[in-house]
Amino acid sequence: MTDAFATNSKSMPGHDHVVDRLFVLELSGGRIHSMSPDGSNRRVIVTDCHLPDGIVVDAEAGHIYWTNMGIPNLNDGSIERADLDGSNRKVVVPQGVTHTPKQLHLEKRSGKLYWCDREGMRVMRANLDGTNVETLVKTGEGEIESRDATRWCVGITIDPERGQVYWTQKGADNSGLGRILRASIDIPNGEDAAKRTDVEVWLDNLPEPIDLELDLENRVLYWTDRGNPPLGNTVNRSSIDAPARNRHAPQPVLGDLMEGIGIALDVPGNRMFITDLGGSVYSAKLDGSEKRTFLFAQGNLSGVAYAEIASEEN
C-alpha cells in the first residue's frame, strides 16, 4: 500500500466524490485493466505492455506507473507512466537502465519510485520522472550469477517511518530458499550497493516469496508466496517489529492460490486484493477471512494496485 491510496474528497476540491478502483496487470495479454473492487465496471486502459509485472497509483497526481519485465536475455525492461485512464503514456525508465523490473513501490513523500530488478539482481530507485536512477542493493553481477534464483530480487516495499526497504529474493521454484531481507533506504557512508553491512535477513526458508505490502498503521508485513502448499500458494503476514525469534513462523492468512503474485491492501477498509498466474482476482479481509474469487481464468495476472480516485461524475 502506498501513500497515494489515502485520498478523499475533502483533500481534492472541485471533485464531487471519490471512487475506489483496482488496477490489474494481465501479463499474458500485455494489458492493464481498471475495475471496481468487485470486478464490475471493468475496462482495458493500456495495451501492448511488454510483460507487465508491478503497478502503483499516484492518485493525487492522476498517474499509474508500471514495470515491463521484457525478455530477460535481451535486457529490455522498462518503467512506464500514464494517466489513470491510460492516456498520455510515457516511458520514464527506458530499456537498458533496468534489466527485469518486477514489483514497484511509490514513496510519495520522498518523490521516489522503488523497484526490484530480477536478473539485474538489484534493488533500485529513481525520481518519479525517471531521473536520478540509483542502485541501492546489488546481490550479484554477470550472466552466470544472474541464473542463480537465490540472487533474484522480486518484491519490494518501504517503511518510511524507520527508513528501511524490504525486498524478497525468491530462490528457485519451491526450493525453500526464499528470503525476505531489509536494509536502510540509504547506503551507509563509505559503502556501496554490493557490499553493504546493514543488510539483514528478516525471514528465510520460505517456499517462494513474491510481492510485499506493508500495513504501516499496524506495522504488519504481508506477502504472497508461489511455492507449493501448505506454506506456498498463500498470503502470509508478520509484525515487522517482532523480535527475530518470533519471525520464524509467519502467519498464513489465505491459501489455495494458483501461483500467487500481486497483493494490494486497503487498510481502512479492512481488505486485501490478490492476483495469481492462474488468472484469478481475490478479495478478503486482512485476516484472510471472507475470501472471495470475483474474477477467474483471466489469463496470467501479475501486479495489482488499489486506489481511491477523485471523480467528477454524479
Side-chain angles (χ1 to χ4, degrees):
M1 181 169 162
T2 70
D3 298 326
F5 297 163
T7 62
N8 54 65
S9 57
K10 292 182 180 179
S11 65
M12 294 185 176
H15 298 282
D16 291 334
H17 63 283
V18 168
V19 296
D20 47 358
R21 301 291 291 177
L22 283 182
F23 295 85
V24 176
L25 297 180
E26 182 190 343
L27 179 66
S28 52
R31 302 189 293 180
I32 302 178
H33 301 260
S34 172
M35 65 190 74
S36 297
D38 61 359
S40 64
N41 192 23
R42 175 182 169 190
R43 60 184 182 269
V44 175
I45 59 171
V46 179
T47 60
D48 298 319
C49 299
H50 195 29
L51 296 177
D53 187 85
I55 185 167
V56 293
V57 184
D58 185 345
E60 181 182 5
H63 294 145
I64 56 173
Y65 295 83
W66 70 94
T67 60
N68 296 299
M69 289 188 293
I71 308 300
N73 66 337
L74 298 182
N75 190 12
D76 61 351
S78 63
I79 299 176
E80 295 189 66
R81 185 189 78 195
D83 292 347
L84 296 173
D85 62 0
S87 63
N88 296 317
R89 184 174 176 178
K90 177 183 180 182
V91 174
V92 292
V93 178
Q95 294 180 0
V97 176
T98 182
H99 194 296
T100 322
K102 298 286 287 179
Q103 190 181 14
L104 186 65
H105 180 90
L106 169 67
E107 216 299 288
K108 182 70 172 178
R109 279 173 279 188
S110 62
K112 295 286 186 179
L113 291 171
Y114 290 80
W115 69 95
C116 275
D117 185 339
R118 191 177 64 192
E119 274 81 1
M121 301 169 286
R122 294 175 288 187
V123 176
M124 306 183 74
R125 72 176 172 191
N127 296 334
L128 298 185
D129 62 0
T131 59
N132 193 27
V133 177
E134 302 172 87
T135 297
L136 303 179
V137 178
K138 190 170 182 62
T139 63
E141 188 169 3
E143 182 179 350
I144 293 176
E145 290 189 342
S146 74
R147 299 173 190 162
D148 179 359
T150 63
R151 299 178 183 270
W152 287 358
C153 304
V154 177
I156 191 167
T157 194
I158 300 295
D159 177 4
E161 295 179 7
R162 295 200 175 174
Q164 293 178 311
V165 55
Y166 288 76
W167 70 97
T168 62
Q169 291 176 211
K170 79 178 196 69
D173 295 353
N174 303 307
S175 65
L177 298 177
R179 301 186 294 170
I180 300 175
L181 302 98
R182 70 179 174 188
S184 298
I185 289 176
D186 297 311
I187 299 173
N189 291 334
E191 299 184 4
D192 61 34
K195 297 178 181 178
R196 298 184 58 160
T197 59
D198 64 333
V199 174
E200 174 191 359
V201 177
W202 186 77
L203 199 62
D204 59 5
N205 300 318
L206 301 175
E208 198 179 343
I210 306 295
D211 282 1
L212 299 172
E213 281 290 290
L214 181 54
D215 171 3
L216 279 171
E217 180 180 342
N218 297 297
R219 309 286 297 165
V220 175
L221 185 69
Y222 290 74
W223 68 94
T224 53
D225 197 301
R226 275 177 57 185
N228 287 335
L231 296 179
N233 272 312
T234 53
V235 173
N236 305 268
R237 68 180 181 182
S238 185
S239 167
I240 61 173
D241 296 329
R245 65 179 179 277
N246 295 333
R247 294 201 303 262
H248 295 295
Q251 178 187 4
V253 294
L254 189 147
D256 297 322
L257 304 178
M258 297 182 67
E259 297 197 73
I261 300 286
I263 181 170
L265 304 182
D266 170 20
V267 174
N270 186 28
R271 57 184 177 173
M272 59 179 162
F273 303 93
I274 307 99
T275 51
D276 65 22
L277 285 181
S280 296
V281 184
Y282 311 86
S283 64
K285 289 189 174 181
L286 292 177
D287 64 2
S289 64
E290 299 185 20
K291 175 187 174 186
R292 176 173 172 252
T293 308
F294 57 84
L295 288 177
F296 56 91
Q298 301 298 307
N300 302 130
L301 304 181
S302 49
V304 60
Y306 167 80
E308 294 179 347
I309 296 170
S311 172
E312 295 179 356
E313 298 176 359
N314 293 318

